[in-house]
Amino acid sequence: MLGLTLEQTRVYQEAKAEGREEGREEGREEREAEMLKLTVPLLLKTGMSVEQIAQHLNVHIEAVQIAAQSST
């Protein structure tokens, strides 16, 4: 029609970029969850509270609680 392929359209390019960003965000969240699963149990054993761990790791208390529950 206009000599454009689907891949050349702005809508396609924007959707592709958005998909990439969503994938990166999911990867970051997965890495953070894995890191918490490994570190939270160790920090709890040292006597730190969930609140202290959240504060020192700069994450939400809920994320620390989830990691603590998954380690038991």
Side-chain angles (χ1 to χ4, degrees):
M1 183 156 59
L2 295 174
L4 293 175
T5 65
L6 176 64
E7 290 82 10
Q8 293 172 320
T9 64
R10 186 182 65 181
V11 172
Y12 177 85
Q13 294 298 322
E14 289 173 358
K16 187 175 177 180
E18 185 178 317
R20 277 192 193 127
E21 184 55 37
E22 287 176 6
R24 287 184 188 115
E25 181 63 30
E26 287 176 14
R28 282 190 285 271
E29 290 170 0
E30 289 174 5
R31 284 190 301 276
E32 181 179 290
E34 189 62 32
M35 181 269 306
L36 290 175
K37 276 195 231 177
L38 296 171
T39 57
V40 167
L42 297 172
L43 294 172
L44 288 170
K45 286 180 183 178
T46 69
M48 288 180 74
S49 69
V50 169
E51 292 80 9
Q52 289 172 321
I53 295 170
Q55 183 179 13
H56 287 289
L57 296 178
N58 197 28
V59 296
H60 293 286
I61 291 174
E62 294 82 13
V64 176
Q65 291 170 332
I66 291 169
Q69 290 173 353
S70 69
S71 69
T72 58

